[in-house]
Amino acid sequence: MSDFVTRTAEMRELVMNAFVKAFPDEEFAVREVPVNDIVIAVPAGSLAPAVRILVDELGIWHLSTITADDTGDHIHMLYHFWHGSGVTLETQLPLTGSSIETLTGQIPGAAFYEREIFEMFGVVFEGNADLTPLLLPDDWTGPPPMLKSSNGQTESKA
Amino acid sequence: MTKIKVPIGPQHPLLKEPLAFQLTLEGERVVESVMRLGYVHRGMERLCQERTYVQNIYLLERVCGICSHVHATTYCRAVEALMGVEVPQRGVNLRALLCELERVHSHLLWLGVIARNIGFDTIFMYAWRDREMVLDIMEDLSGGRVSHAVNTLGGVRIDLTDEHRNAILAQLDILDVQIQLLLGVVEHEQTLHARTRGVGRLTLEQIHRYCVVGPVARASGLDIDLRRDAPEPPYDRLEFNVPIHTDGDVWARTLVRVQEAVESVSLCRQILHSLPEGQTTVKVPRRVPAGEAISRMEAPRGEVIYYVRSNGTDKPARVKVRTPTLTSLVTLPEQLQDVQMADVSVVLSGVDLCIACADR
């Protein structure tokens, strides 16, 4: 408990220093999101290596969940971690035919989150052998239900 | 030896909610288990996109019956953060009061369920009798025993008179004595020990790998509790212990939950004694500005996390919910490995299943 970072600014410094050292050629956009999270944009190909830095080097092993969000232009993936304060890695994937490396090799706890995103959004997690339906019925033949295109929805803007 | 397949569920006397297991047994020993969720999947996240922010409070309360208030509160916190609104302290305290009462309710309910599942009907009766006391308090406060609908955007819609507050304090005194009795049973009763000690053991390393939260993690030695680690008012000024045990078996989880119930009763008392004066709610802007918010709270089963994205319209663009039961469910195949058939009921009850939460 004593080594848990307790403030957003400390978390930001800790993670960004490690990322800048590990990926010297890349620029990472960081922003703060309420309630107490920082969100770091990572290219899709660098996501699994970035998670390795978090888990192996910084000891940030708790993956709260993986969120997928159809913004109308792309699928916005967010990987939420917690270590006394929240740190989220975000990346963008194309709306259809997208795939990203699985985290289940490093974090077995990601299994259910990846299964749900596969069935709801159609994102393939490479290396995850068990992408069977989690919540949808076995005989589901329709398109991934959370994709806006599957429901005739469009992303409305105010 | 021939292998026998035993199905448990989707409907089964053990299970309060539908969940399907296919166990493969060799003799009395479980060699493989396959789990299927989704029987209570209602598509809540999709439904949230079709309802206004206020309508979603009532929808998200129904993700789960037992932790309804904490779901609504976590969602409201996320939306209030997007709007830049600060709930008055009296409202914050009343929300926390219900959160803690809900925690007591959940743990007492669970104690009854696991006692029933191991055949200890006496404790089932006692725990559910005491649970009635908590439900009566919550009904007097909010009008509902299980679904409270107390939250609005900007605060709560209930308030307490001094008389009402003293009545609740008197009830809490009685409840405290009853829960201490139940704690004594859990600590000393030999039949409970015989059924639950050494069963369903999870090591701290497994907890880390599966990112488990809540009492299951605390029973294996993980020292986390969002109320203490990310102290939001009123928890920043309240005193409470977080019970941690290292055995990692179902008995440790039982101890953690009943001790947490004791702590929650103490927290309720502290909140009631130090309830700040003032408004319980504040006016909020008409539209939620575009943006994202991530809100986490400590539900009875662990960390619940909400991600809310607004695109400036009157309906949210995305509401993502991850409930704590999902983190325990992912460990079940490992927990069930090499377990005796007679212990399957103990293992399944030990993780405090809330399938409605997991399925949404």
Side-chain angles (χ1 to χ4, degrees), chain B residues 163-327:
Chain B
E163 203 187 313
H164 190 176
R165 191 184 63 165
N166 293 334
I168 300 180
L169 282 168
Q171 290 280 72
L172 289 176
D173 285 339
I174 307 175
L175 190 62
D176 205 8
V177 172
Q178 314 282 48
I179 300 183
Q180 294 287 355
L181 173 87
L182 293 171
L183 184 61
V185 168
V186 175
E187 285 173 339
H188 303 298
E189 176 57 50
Q190 290 303 310
T191 40
L192 196 82
H193 282 213
R195 286 304 301 272
T196 57
R197 291 198 86 150
V199 178
R201 192 162 262 143
L202 280 176
T203 62
L204 189 57
E205 192 253 332
Q206 283 169 305
I207 299 288
H208 280 234
R209 276 194 297 135
Y210 288 106
C211 301
V212 183
V213 293
V216 178
R218 287 195 274 277
S220 291
L222 185 65
D223 191 3
I224 52 155
D225 187 324
L226 281 173
R227 298 173 292 168
R228 179 201 56 192
D229 300 340
E232 301 272 325
Y235 296 105
D236 52 354
R237 61 172 173 75
L238 296 176
E239 275 177 40
F240 62 104
N241 297 318
V242 175
I244 310 286
H245 290 278
T246 48
D247 285 345
D249 53 12
V250 175
W251 182 69
R253 290 169 208 159
T254 316
L255 258 184
V256 166
R257 288 187 181 111
V258 182
Q259 284 171 346
E260 268 183 27
V262 171
E263 292 298 325
S264 287
V265 171
S266 155
L267 275 169
C268 289
R269 274 214 199 94
Q270 292 179 54
I271 293 173
L272 286 169
H273 279 301
S274 62
L275 204 54
E277 294 297 319
Q279 305 273 53
T280 57
T281 184
V282 77
K283 231 171 153 33
V284 298
R286 261 184 164 268
R287 278 286 153 100
V288 179
E292 299 158 291
I294 301 168
S295 169
R296 292 174 170 83
M297 280 192 83
E298 185 77 18
R301 281 160 194 74
E303 171 205 37
V304 67
I305 174 172
Y306 269 68
Y307 168 82
V308 179
R309 178 168 74 86
S310 160
N311 54 11
T313 59
D314 61 343
K315 303 192 169 78
R318 179 79 169 101
V319 176
K320 161 77 181 177
V321 184
R322 194 282 272 135
T323 53
T325 312
L326 216 48
T327 65

Side-chain angles (χ1 to χ4, degrees), chain B residues 86-123:
Chain B
E86 207 178 297
V87 176
Q89 282 304 303
R90 193 173 173 88
V92 165
N93 276 263
L94 287 170
R95 275 183 179 170
L97 174 68
L98 260 156
C99 278
E100 293 310 312
L101 282 171
E102 202 175 57
R103 198 179 316 271
V104 179
H105 166 224
S106 173
H107 290 334
L108 284 177
L109 186 150
W110 172 81
L111 184 64
V113 166
I114 192 172
R116 185 101 164 102
N117 287 343
I118 63 176
F120 201 160
D121 269 10
T122 311
I123 292 304

Side-chain angles (χ1 to χ4, degrees), chain A residues 16-78:
Chain A
M16 289 313 287
N17 285 346
F19 276 9
V20 160
K21 231 170 48 181
F23 306 101
D25 307 320
E26 305 218 25
E27 286 272 324
F28 296 105
V30 192
R31 62 181 200 279
E32 285 189 19
V33 161
V35 174
N36 48 16
D37 254 78
I38 53 162
V39 180
I40 306 174
V42 173
S46 307
L47 190 97
V51 169
R52 206 159 286 129
I53 306 282
L54 285 182
V55 173
D56 296 335
E57 261 183 52
L58 301 176
I60 301 175
W61 51 266
H62 182 71
L63 174 70
S64 294
T65 192
I66 309 176
T67 299
D69 182 9
D70 180 348
T71 61
D73 309 314
H74 48 250
I75 298 181
H76 185 197
M77 301 281 286
L78 296 112

